[in-house]
Every structure is written in C-alpha cells, then in structure tokens.
Short mmCIF file of all heavy atoms in Angstrom, two decimals:
data_model
loop_
_atom_site.label_atom_id
_atom_site.label_comp_id
_atom_site.label_asym_id
_atom_site.label_seq_id
_atom_site.Cartn_x
_atom_site.Cartn_y
_atom_site.Cartn_z
N ARG A 1 43.64 28.96 -56.03
CA ARG A 1 42.40 29.14 -55.32
C ARG A 1 41.19 28.58 -56.08
O ARG A 1 40.37 27.85 -55.47
CB ARG A 1 42.18 30.61 -55.01
CG ARG A 1 40.84 30.93 -54.21
CD ARG A 1 40.75 30.20 -52.89
NE ARG A 1 39.51 30.45 -52.22
CZ ARG A 1 38.34 29.72 -52.40
NH1 ARG A 1 38.34 28.77 -53.28
NH2 ARG A 1 37.27 30.02 -51.75
N LEU A 2 41.18 28.81 -57.34
CA LEU A 2 40.10 28.20 -58.18
C LEU A 2 40.19 26.68 -58.24
O LEU A 2 39.11 26.10 -58.27
CB LEU A 2 40.16 28.81 -59.63
CG LEU A 2 39.73 30.33 -59.70
CD1 LEU A 2 40.06 30.80 -61.08
CD2 LEU A 2 38.22 30.37 -59.40
N GLU A 3 41.40 26.21 -58.13
CA GLU A 3 41.55 24.73 -58.17
C GLU A 3 40.89 24.10 -56.96
O GLU A 3 40.35 22.99 -56.97
CB GLU A 3 42.97 24.29 -58.26
CG GLU A 3 43.29 22.90 -58.44
CD GLU A 3 44.71 22.51 -58.67
OE1 GLU A 3 45.47 23.48 -58.71
OE2 GLU A 3 45.00 21.34 -58.61
N ARG A 4 40.92 24.86 -55.81
CA ARG A 4 40.38 24.36 -54.53
C ARG A 4 38.79 24.67 -54.41
O ARG A 4 38.22 24.24 -53.52
CB ARG A 4 40.99 24.99 -53.35
CG ARG A 4 42.51 24.72 -53.21
CD ARG A 4 43.11 25.18 -51.92
NE ARG A 4 42.86 26.56 -51.60
CZ ARG A 4 43.66 27.56 -51.90
NH1 ARG A 4 44.75 27.34 -52.60
NH2 ARG A 4 43.31 28.84 -51.56
N SER A 5 38.26 25.37 -55.44
CA SER A 5 36.93 25.83 -55.37
C SER A 5 35.98 24.70 -55.91
O SER A 5 36.28 23.88 -56.65
CB SER A 5 36.80 27.10 -56.18
OG SER A 5 35.41 27.50 -56.28
N SER A 6 34.75 24.87 -55.36
CA SER A 6 33.65 23.98 -55.87
C SER A 6 33.09 24.42 -57.28
O SER A 6 32.39 23.70 -57.93
CB SER A 6 32.46 24.07 -54.88
OG SER A 6 31.99 25.35 -54.68
N ILE A 7 33.56 25.59 -57.75
CA ILE A 7 33.18 26.11 -59.03
C ILE A 7 34.01 25.49 -60.13
O ILE A 7 35.23 25.45 -60.00
CB ILE A 7 33.32 27.68 -59.05
CG1 ILE A 7 32.50 28.33 -57.90
CG2 ILE A 7 32.87 28.22 -60.38
CD1 ILE A 7 32.71 29.80 -57.75
N ALA A 8 33.40 25.10 -61.19
CA ALA A 8 34.11 24.62 -62.34
C ALA A 8 34.87 25.88 -62.99
O ALA A 8 34.32 26.84 -63.28
CB ALA A 8 33.18 23.99 -63.43
N ALA A 9 36.18 25.73 -63.16
CA ALA A 9 37.00 26.83 -63.66
C ALA A 9 37.68 26.59 -64.96
O ALA A 9 38.04 25.42 -65.23
CB ALA A 9 38.07 27.22 -62.59
N THR A 10 37.75 27.56 -65.80
CA THR A 10 38.49 27.63 -67.01
C THR A 10 39.55 28.61 -66.94
O THR A 10 39.26 29.80 -66.74
CB THR A 10 37.62 27.86 -68.23
OG1 THR A 10 36.50 26.88 -68.25
CG2 THR A 10 38.45 27.67 -69.58
N ILE A 11 40.86 28.26 -67.08
CA ILE A 11 41.93 29.18 -67.01
C ILE A 11 42.45 29.34 -68.38
O ILE A 11 42.85 28.41 -69.09
CB ILE A 11 43.10 28.65 -66.15
CG1 ILE A 11 42.60 28.24 -64.73
CG2 ILE A 11 44.23 29.65 -66.09
CD1 ILE A 11 42.02 29.33 -63.93
N VAL A 12 42.46 30.58 -68.84
CA VAL A 12 42.93 30.93 -70.16
C VAL A 12 44.31 31.72 -69.99
O VAL A 12 44.32 32.89 -69.60
CB VAL A 12 41.94 31.89 -70.92
CG1 VAL A 12 42.48 32.31 -72.35
CG2 VAL A 12 40.58 31.16 -71.11
N ARG A 13 45.38 31.03 -70.41
CA ARG A 13 46.71 31.61 -70.24
C ARG A 13 47.20 32.16 -71.58
O ARG A 13 47.24 31.41 -72.64
CB ARG A 13 47.68 30.54 -69.81
CG ARG A 13 47.49 30.06 -68.32
CD ARG A 13 48.52 28.94 -68.10
NE ARG A 13 48.40 28.46 -66.66
CZ ARG A 13 49.04 27.44 -66.23
NH1 ARG A 13 49.68 26.64 -67.03
NH2 ARG A 13 48.90 27.05 -65.00
N ASN A 14 47.49 33.42 -71.63
CA ASN A 14 47.88 34.07 -72.92
C ASN A 14 49.32 34.67 -72.81
O ASN A 14 49.73 35.06 -71.76
CB ASN A 14 46.98 35.12 -73.33
CG ASN A 14 46.87 36.26 -72.37
OD1 ASN A 14 45.99 36.29 -71.54
ND2 ASN A 14 47.69 37.29 -72.54
N PRO A 15 50.08 34.57 -73.92
CA PRO A 15 51.42 35.25 -74.00
C PRO A 15 51.24 36.74 -74.26
O PRO A 15 50.18 37.28 -73.94
CB PRO A 15 52.07 34.51 -75.12
CG PRO A 15 50.93 34.22 -76.09
CD PRO A 15 49.69 33.96 -75.26
N ALA A 16 52.29 37.33 -74.82
CA ALA A 16 52.30 38.81 -74.96
C ALA A 16 51.22 39.33 -75.91
O ALA A 16 50.96 38.80 -77.02
CB ALA A 16 53.71 39.26 -75.51
N PHE A 17 50.51 40.42 -75.47
CA PHE A 17 49.48 41.03 -76.37
C PHE A 17 50.28 41.92 -77.47
O PHE A 17 51.12 42.78 -77.14
CB PHE A 17 48.71 41.98 -75.58
CG PHE A 17 47.63 41.32 -74.68
CD1 PHE A 17 47.46 41.75 -73.44
CD2 PHE A 17 46.88 40.31 -75.19
CE1 PHE A 17 46.52 41.18 -72.63
CE2 PHE A 17 45.90 39.68 -74.38
CZ PHE A 17 45.70 40.08 -73.15
N MET A 18 49.92 41.63 -78.72
CA MET A 18 50.57 42.51 -79.76
C MET A 18 50.12 43.86 -79.59
O MET A 18 50.84 44.85 -79.95
CB MET A 18 50.21 41.88 -81.12
CG MET A 18 48.68 41.85 -81.46
SD MET A 18 48.45 41.06 -83.14
CE MET A 18 48.94 39.37 -82.94
N ASP A 19 48.90 44.12 -79.14
CA ASP A 19 48.42 45.47 -78.86
C ASP A 19 49.19 46.33 -78.00
O ASP A 19 49.40 47.57 -78.16
CB ASP A 19 46.94 45.45 -78.28
CG ASP A 19 46.09 44.35 -78.80
OD1 ASP A 19 46.55 43.21 -78.87
OD2 ASP A 19 44.90 44.62 -78.98
N VAL A 20 49.84 45.59 -77.05
CA VAL A 20 50.68 46.38 -76.06
C VAL A 20 52.13 46.40 -76.48
O VAL A 20 52.77 47.40 -76.38
CB VAL A 20 50.55 45.64 -74.56
CG1 VAL A 20 51.48 46.31 -73.62
CG2 VAL A 20 49.11 45.77 -74.15
N TRP A 21 52.69 45.31 -76.92
CA TRP A 21 54.07 45.16 -77.08
C TRP A 21 54.60 45.90 -78.38
O TRP A 21 55.68 46.33 -78.34
CB TRP A 21 54.57 43.75 -77.07
CG TRP A 21 54.55 43.20 -75.74
CD1 TRP A 21 53.50 42.48 -75.12
CD2 TRP A 21 55.46 43.49 -74.70
NE1 TRP A 21 53.80 42.29 -73.83
CE2 TRP A 21 54.98 42.83 -73.44
CE3 TRP A 21 56.76 44.15 -74.65
CZ2 TRP A 21 55.68 42.94 -72.31
CZ3 TRP A 21 57.37 44.19 -73.43
CH2 TRP A 21 56.89 43.62 -72.28
N MET A 22 53.74 46.12 -79.24
CA MET A 22 54.21 46.96 -80.39
C MET A 22 54.51 48.43 -79.94
O MET A 22 55.38 49.06 -80.31
CB MET A 22 53.23 47.01 -81.51
CG MET A 22 52.94 45.67 -82.19
SD MET A 22 54.45 44.90 -82.83
CE MET A 22 54.78 43.64 -81.58
N VAL A 23 53.56 48.90 -79.05
CA VAL A 23 53.78 50.22 -78.46
C VAL A 23 55.07 50.26 -77.53
O VAL A 23 55.82 51.17 -77.57
CB VAL A 23 52.53 50.69 -77.75
CG1 VAL A 23 52.74 52.08 -77.12
CG2 VAL A 23 51.30 50.73 -78.72
N MET A 24 55.14 49.27 -76.67
CA MET A 24 56.32 49.26 -75.76
C MET A 24 57.60 49.12 -76.52
O MET A 24 58.64 49.59 -76.08
CB MET A 24 56.18 47.95 -74.91
CG MET A 24 54.99 47.95 -73.98
SD MET A 24 55.31 49.02 -72.54
CE MET A 24 56.39 48.10 -71.55
N ALA A 25 57.55 48.50 -77.77
CA ALA A 25 58.80 48.41 -78.57
C ALA A 25 59.19 49.63 -79.25
O ALA A 25 60.25 49.72 -79.84
CB ALA A 25 58.59 47.23 -79.51
N GLY A 26 58.24 50.67 -79.29
CA GLY A 26 58.62 51.84 -80.01
C GLY A 26 57.73 52.35 -81.13
O GLY A 26 58.09 53.20 -81.91
N ALA A 27 56.56 51.65 -81.30
CA ALA A 27 55.69 51.97 -82.39
C ALA A 27 54.34 52.50 -81.84
O ALA A 27 53.37 51.74 -81.88
CB ALA A 27 55.47 50.78 -83.29
N MET A 28 54.34 53.69 -81.46
CA MET A 28 53.02 54.31 -81.09
C MET A 28 51.95 54.34 -82.10
O MET A 28 50.80 54.30 -81.81
CB MET A 28 53.26 55.69 -80.51
CG MET A 28 53.93 55.77 -79.09
SD MET A 28 54.06 57.47 -78.46
CE MET A 28 52.29 57.85 -78.24
#
C-alpha cells in the first residue's frame, strides 16, 4: 500500500529481537 502511495516511504525490515527471543528461549 505504501508503494502505491504518493508519500515517500522508508521500510525498515528487522529480524528477531534479542529482547524478546531470549525470554522466549527460556531466560526470563
């Protein structure tokens, strides 16, 4: 949708957050 927009867009694609996945892996 942003690609079709008249607004200039910047897409920031990120992989796994270390903040989340350390907890998900068992390290609260």
Side-chain angles (χ1 to χ4, degrees):
R1 177 61 181 84
L2 286 170
E3 187 177 354
R4 300 193 302 271
S5 175
S6 58
I7 302 171
T10 305
I11 308 298
V12 178
R13 292 176 176 167
N14 62 266
F17 287 135
M18 58 181 70
D19 320 47
V20 174
W21 286 97
M22 294 307 102
V23 177
M24 295 285 286
M28 284 186 66

